[in-house]
Structures are given as structure tokens and as C-alpha cells.
Amino acid sequence: MLKTAYTDTGGEGRAVVLTHGAGMNHTMFDPQAAELQKAGYRVIRWDMPGHGASPLDPGTRFTATGALTELAALLDWLRLDRPVLIGHSLGGNLSQALVRADADRAGGLIVLDATWNAGPLNGLERLGLRLAAPGLAMIPPARLPDLMARVSAVTPEAVDHARTAFAAMPSRTFRDVWRATASLVAPEPGYRTPVPVALIRGARDRTGNIATAMPRWASAEKIDEHVIPAAGHLVTLDAPGPTSEALLDVLSRW
């Protein structure tokens, strides 16, 4: 039985599954969902466990394994045949992991502002992954939503949206989410994505190693990387129009 909340526009168009980032929820894709539906796609969005309208079961904590299980369950529940997986940040890491585990589950992969799970890491990047969750624990819980919102977004509207979403999540769960994100990064020299893949990121994204990892990924696999000007990590909210155009451009060519 599927536990997570989702929305599904239905229809006969090609299915696209949008997975939000850490601490956010499916509403971060509101502008893109509308444009994709208008273009004839069947648009599915969902809230990961512990996010939005998908509360965690009492006594449980957020894990990457649990979120991956729910993503796979969603595809099964809706009987989706090789949909395009579109994931932002943690959602991009989860989508990569699902394709890596079973390429037959997806017909394409679009990653927005997420690091390359299988890519190489230098010593500084490895250290950053280990220290991310402990570093969050040092920030007073009352300050965490505003701080993370300002790090993630550059426009006032996007900052406000992020602040509201982050404030709805307990700080302990937020740290668990970051640990889960780090756990999905598993370098594998020579790995190449077995389905069509494209990358989108905000030009002003300064979170983690995304600004360096995504260009490395694009170069290694000789794939498209759309860099959206004047957008930060929350590219779908900072630059909704250009992000929608990039998604539609990629999908139309596939």
C-alpha cells in the first residue's frame, strides 16, 4: 500500500514524475507542472516521507532507503511504464539511485541542482559530505528555516516559499534528510547513466559541490547541462519560466 501523498494529472501523454528536494514539497514544481500539463504530459508529483502531506509513521525516521522504496512503490501503484524521472536536489539523487539500481524503471532522467551520485569526489568534497549534518546540528532550530531558505534561493518569493516549507520540518528530521542525501553519493569510476539524461542548475547555486559536480557530469557523459541565469539552488522557484522552458526543450528532443 502506497503511504505517500501524490497528485496525478492523468491523461494519455507521456508520464513525468517530479520529485522535490530536501525539506521542500511538491509545490516547488507548481509552475513547471502547469506548463508540462499544458504541453500534453501526464504529470505526477509526490511528497517524500516526512515532507509536505506525507508525515512519517510514529517512531520512524527519514532514510534514503525508505524514500527510494516509496518512489518505486509510487511507480508501481500508478503502473507507470518507463516514465521520465525529474528530480531536484535530494529528489535528483533519489532518481539517480533508482535508475542505477534498475534502469528499466525509467525512460529518461532529468536532474535539477543535485550532485552526481556516481561522480568522483576530492578530499574536500568528502569532508563536506561528512560534516553537513553535524554542521546543521550547531544551528539553533529557530534560525534554521530562514538560514537555509536564504542559502537555497535568491529571489524574495522563492526565499519566502522555502522558509515556509523548511519551518514545517523538525530540525532533527532535517538533519536526517541531509544524512540521507549524503548516503546516496557513491562514486563509481566509469559508470554511465543507462537512460537518456539531462542536467539543469541555477547559475548561482552555491550549495555543496553542485556547481562543480554537474559540469563534470555533463562533460563525462557528453550530455546537456542547462544553466539558468540569476537562479540559485531552488531553480524552479527562482526562475520558473526558464526552468519550464529547459524541461520542455529536453523532453521534446527525447
Side-chain angles (χ1 to χ4, degrees):
M1 176 66 69
L2 187 68
K3 297 179 181 179
T4 51
Y6 70 92
T7 66
D8 180 1
T9 62
E12 299 299 321
R14 187 174 191 183
V16 295
V17 179
L18 284 71
T19 305
H20 61 79
M24 301 298 290
N25 57 61
H26 75 275
T27 62
M28 71 170 297
F29 283 114
D30 278 353
Q32 291 73 41
E35 293 302 317
L36 289 167
Q37 183 180 9
K38 191 185 303 181
Y41 293 93
R42 177 184 176 184
V43 183
I44 297 100
R45 294 181 289 163
W46 67 297
D47 287 340
M48 281 186 267
H51 294 71
S54 299
L56 289 166
D57 290 334
T60 64
R61 298 176 68 169
F62 184 92
T63 65
T65 299
L68 270 172
T69 298
E70 285 301 301
L71 176 55
L74 176 67
L75 304 190
D76 291 339
W77 180 262
L78 296 175
R79 299 180 180 179
L80 299 178
D81 180 24
R82 297 177 62 83
V84 175
L85 303 181
I86 302 174
H88 173 267
S89 192
L90 169 57
N93 300 118
L94 284 174
S95 299
Q96 289 178 66
L98 188 62
V99 168
R100 196 171 175 182
D102 185 357
D104 290 336
R105 300 305 301 263
L109 173 67
I110 304 178
V111 177
L112 295 83
D113 292 88
T115 196
W116 181 16
N117 285 9
L121 296 173
N122 60 37
L124 188 60
E125 289 169 331
R126 291 180 185 276
L127 179 63
L129 280 174
R130 289 199 301 269
L131 295 180
L136 289 174
M138 298 176 66
I139 301 172
R143 291 187 54 208
L144 187 60
D146 183 68
L147 178 62
M148 292 303 300
R150 293 183 182 280
V151 168
S152 300
V154 297
T155 64
E157 297 81 8
V159 170
D160 286 344
H161 188 119
R163 186 187 295 115
T164 299
F166 293 151
M169 177 173 285
S171 58
R172 178 182 177 181
T173 302
F174 206 98
R175 293 194 297 272
D176 287 342
V177 168
W178 280 99
R179 290 189 187 94
T181 304
S183 75
L184 292 167
V185 179
E188 183 180 340
Y191 173 83
R192 294 296 179 262
T193 311
V195 300
V197 59
L199 311 178
I200 299 172
R201 68 178 169 92
R204 295 172 61 183
D205 190 336
R206 298 294 179 265
T207 57
N209 72 339
I210 289 170
T212 55
M214 294 193 86
R216 288 201 301 260
W217 186 1
S219 177
E221 298 206 25
K222 296 179 174 55
I223 54 178
D224 292 336
E225 184 195 26
H226 295 257
V227 181
I228 309 298
H233 182 62
L234 294 179
V235 65
T236 65
L237 299 172
D238 277 331
T243 302
S244 298
E245 292 170 8
L247 287 172
L248 288 168
D249 176 62
V250 170
L251 290 167
S252 69
R253 288 186 285 111
W254 287 353

